[in-house]
DNA sequence: TAGAACGATGTAACCGGTTTCAGGAAAGCG
DNA sequence: CGCTTTCCTGAAACCGGTTACATCGTTCTA
């Protein structure tokens, strides 16, 4: 692999001049520049990113941690980030934390060690203090995705999950349902707590007492949704609708209902959350609450870039979810 | 951010000794080691990856290029790679090429510039020559995923797509179908060509002449599958079964069939390919051909690691697809 | 025409690690 | 007790870029 010195020798200039050509910074006379470019081409020279990083203390890349890289949910988010970042010629390193505090810590440390110029952190397991410390103390700008931490609010990009929970529940109320169950995600996740909160708020606003027999905590996974639905049917046999805290669990719940002879939506209505890809393929297609994940990914990247280059951009910090009506909700008959 | 010199000063040793402690290589007296570790801890020292990379010319990471990072298909593959690599304490950088030659080239160059220790390339747009040159000429070991290039066969991890095409077609033949359509992927992709080849071979082996009116080339996307199915119904109205070259197009085809009043599988049987996540959620659930993507990702990583550390491992280069029977295929009635 | 200003280029210090080689102290040997 | 061997440690050269500063030849201004 050729170095800048070999290029300089071939072009008959000093290494400083080659460096100047590479970075386009200072003025280089036209013929000289041409000679250097020719030498670069013939040698197939590629600047060594380590040497450059060592000298500038910048990597030209940002780091992103997500729960799980292979999930369609995070895929959409990553895609949004990549759209913005690629357009600026910046690179992205992704690391999965699998919702485990130790692994998430390791991911963050790993990315910091690589001297990422900035970090977008989607974390389920780290506590607020850890995030605050990260965002405040480090010299690396940090944007937090999907969690609202008051102390560093201006670094957060979030969805209003409580609003989403209300939207879903109100939709069921509008269809005349009064006995509405809720399959929640793990309540250790703020997302799950907020959705539950929205559900509760909507019920109370409609004059219906909150009853925790109608609520089951589960896993955000399909299997968990299937089991939770079975519990719910047992504990609250009179329910006519269920708000499920994500689409994956909704798919599982629908399977259980089908297997136990409950028609969806004729006997029981189902509403999901996320509007992942899958929602359109279930039978019946799933009414759900959409998160604009790609847009949110873009917003997170924009926010980080703003921190990096100091240029102000229009950044939305809080996104509103949106109801997507499909076939899995019908009017209550009883 | 503390440097190795500050650590050495605090511990009262030289930077060489600190370096030795960091790498565990040479012998360091026990009390000295303790002092150094204590200094590292109090300063919160993290070695600078650039400086280390510059000195060793290794990054401690591998690069992976895929078509599209946010697709569930590639997600599964990446996950397999990550499983292996994480266990070895190696890091992974992913870059998307979006099936565009220029972007794929840029991804590869980008990763090479970062001095990845090795590369796993999943490429749809680069031609064989480019891959051969990459695998042969560079000093960075390269593994090619999902394409069989004869000249560098020992560096490839592939699925036998022709076998997969045969499996699917034979399954339909066994159910008594004689008029079998095929919705192919873009024939610029080797995958798509091989699946078509398998379809053709199975037909001929069953004594049925290959008829290209029964074949439509499409896009590997849902919308393409929907359109292709419409064409196919027009050109070959007597068909009783369709082998679709991936599940996404199969979902589209099923939509068209439903909309045009053809029952699946009673009027027309459908078989897909890939066994992505989605296949289990379609109605009827989709009979398909499974690619063991996670395992293949692991194999690709194992192969690369073998190149990197010279240690021999058991590596499978060619995987066999597997039929997954669900509900979308029925016996031919006519 | 002398002196200042400017544009193009080169020299060398620096970024923060790794690693070779040399040297000093302690231990082993005759 | 002197000499070799072994073990541990330090000095300094590197890795390949960036960049502050120096230099030199031109051109512009008075």
């Amino acid at each position: 692999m050729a170095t800048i010195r070999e290029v300089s020798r071939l072009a008959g200039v000093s290494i400083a001049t080659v460096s100047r050509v590479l970075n386009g910074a200072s003025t280089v006379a036209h013929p000289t520049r041409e000679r250097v470019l020719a030498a670069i081409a013939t040698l197939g020279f590629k600047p060594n990113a380590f040497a450059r990083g060592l000298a500038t203390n910048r990597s030209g890349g940002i780091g992103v941690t997500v729960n799980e890289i292979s999930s369609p949910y995070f895929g959409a988010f990553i895609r949004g980030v990549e759209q913005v970042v690629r357009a600026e010629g910046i690179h992205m390193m992704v690391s999965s934390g699998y919702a485990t505090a130790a692994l998430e810590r390791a991911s963050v440390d790993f990315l910091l060690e690589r001297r990422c110029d900035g970090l977008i952190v989607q974390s389920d397991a780290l506590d607020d203090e850890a995030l605050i410390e990260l965002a405040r103390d480090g010299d690396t700008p940090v944007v937090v995705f999907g969690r609202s931490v008051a102390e560093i609010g201006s670094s957060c990009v979030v969805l209003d999950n409580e609003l989403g929970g209300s939207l879903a529940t109100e939709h069921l109320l509008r269809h005349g349902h009064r006995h509405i169950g809720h399959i929640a995600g793990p309540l250790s996740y703020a997302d799950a707590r907020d959705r539950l909160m929205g559900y509760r708020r909507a019920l109370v606003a409609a004059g219906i007492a909150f009853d925790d027999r109608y609520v089951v905590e589960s896993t955000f996974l399909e299997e968990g949704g299937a089991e939770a639905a079975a519990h719910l049917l047992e504990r609250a046999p009179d329910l006519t609708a269920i708000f499920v805290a994500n689409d994956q669990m909704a798919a599982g719940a629908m399977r259980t209902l089908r297997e136990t002879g409950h028609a969806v939506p004729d006997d029981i209505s189902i509403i999901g959350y996320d509007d992942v890809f899958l929602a359109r393929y279930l039978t019946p297609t799933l009414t759900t609450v959409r998160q604009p994940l790609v847009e949110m990914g873009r917003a997170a990247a924009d926010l980080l870039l703003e921190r990096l280059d100091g240029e102000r951009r229009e950044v939305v910090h809080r996104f509103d979810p949106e109801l997507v009506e499909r076939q899995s909700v019908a009017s209550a008959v009883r």
Side-chain angles (χ1 to χ4, degrees), chain A:
Chain A
M1 188 62 73
T3 74
I4 201 174
R5 288 163 224 271
E6 300 173 44
V7 172
S8 73
R9 207 173 309 139
L10 181 58
V13 297
S14 74
I15 60 168
T17 300
V18 177
S19 177
R20 283 190 271 259
V21 171
L22 286 175
N23 298 302
S26 193
T27 48
V28 176
H30 192 72
T32 313
R33 153 169 275 119
E34 292 299 306
R35 276 212 316 285
V36 171
L37 288 175
I40 287 174
T42 60
L43 290 175
F45 166 78
K46 292 196 186 111
N48 182 317
F50 294 136
R52 176 174 277 176
L54 183 57
T56 59
N57 201 31
R58 288 180 308 103
S59 69
I62 65 162
V64 182
T65 71
V66 293
N67 185 320
E68 158 129 28
I69 198 173
S70 63
S71 126
Y73 179 92
F74 297 111
F77 156 61
I78 290 175
R79 183 165 194 175
V81 174
E82 199 192 25
Q83 283 177 6
V84 170
V85 140
R86 184 181 276 269
E88 306 259 339
I90 295 179
H91 155 251
M92 182 180 71
M93 274 169 59
V94 184
S95 190
S96 304
Y98 299 107
T100 309
L103 284 178
E104 288 185 354
R105 248 263 90 79
S107 290
V108 168
D109 285 347
F110 178 83
L111 293 170
L112 286 178
E113 248 172 66
R114 309 268 147 179
R115 297 298 193 275
C116 282
D117 299 343
L119 228 51
I120 298 178
V121 177
Q122 183 274 315
S123 165
D124 289 317
L126 294 177
D127 53 21
D128 283 5
E129 282 67 42
L131 293 177
I132 293 169
E133 191 190 322
L134 206 57
R136 278 221 185 114
D137 298 352
D139 27 23
T140 309
V142 171
V143 166
V144 174
F145 177 83
R147 269 182 46 188
S148 180
V149 181
E151 290 84 345
I152 50 171
S154 62
S155 302
C156 296
V157 170
V158 296
L159 185 83
D160 190 335
N161 278 298
E162 189 173 333
L163 175 58
S166 296
L167 278 180
T169 310
E170 285 162 5
H171 183 67
L172 296 173
L173 290 165
R174 267 199 306 280
H175 278 76
H177 295 278
R178 283 295 170 271
H179 300 277
I180 302 176
H182 177 46
I183 298 178
L187 294 177
S188 55
Y189 291 12
D191 289 8
R193 287 197 301 274
D194 290 346
R195 291 171 203 177
L196 169 60
M197 212 53 182
Y199 159 80
R200 187 172 184 150
R201 199 181 60 190
L203 286 185
V204 171
I208 300 178
F210 172 81
D211 179 345
D212 62 12
R213 276 175 313 162
Y214 283 81
V215 176
V216 175
E217 177 177 357
S218 185
T219 59
F220 270 154
L221 302 176
E222 191 196 336
E223 208 43 47
E227 289 164 15
H231 285 168
L232 212 48
L233 286 174
E234 212 169 289
R235 285 163 58 174
D238 60 337
L239 55 77
T240 63
I242 309 177
F243 161 41
V244 190
N246 80 348
D247 291 350
Q248 244 172 302
M249 291 196 296
M254 280 168 66
R255 200 181 67 208
T256 295
L257 292 178
R258 194 180 317 122
E259 287 168 4
T260 55
H262 298 80
V264 175
D266 297 331
D267 296 335
I268 295 183
S269 290
I270 295 278
I271 187 165
Y273 203 102
D274 284 348
D275 193 25
V276 297
F277 173 76
L278 169 66
R280 290 195 308 277
Y281 291 98
L282 293 170
T283 310
T285 57
L286 185 67
T287 293
T288 187
V289 175
R290 192 175 103 83
Q291 300 202 41
L293 283 170
V294 176
E295 292 87 332
M296 289 173 73
R298 281 209 296 263
D302 277 332
L303 181 54
L304 188 60
L305 289 177
E306 187 176 294
R307 298 281 157 85
L308 287 177
D309 63 19
E311 233 171 76
R312 288 219 73 71
R313 290 155 215 254
E314 289 281 319
V315 176
V316 181
H317 287 269
R318 170 172 291 266
F319 284 78
D320 284 348
E322 194 181 320
L323 192 75
V324 180
E325 287 192 56
R326 294 208 182 88
Q327 303 168 345
S328 65
V329 172
S331 294
V333 283
R334 315 185 197 183

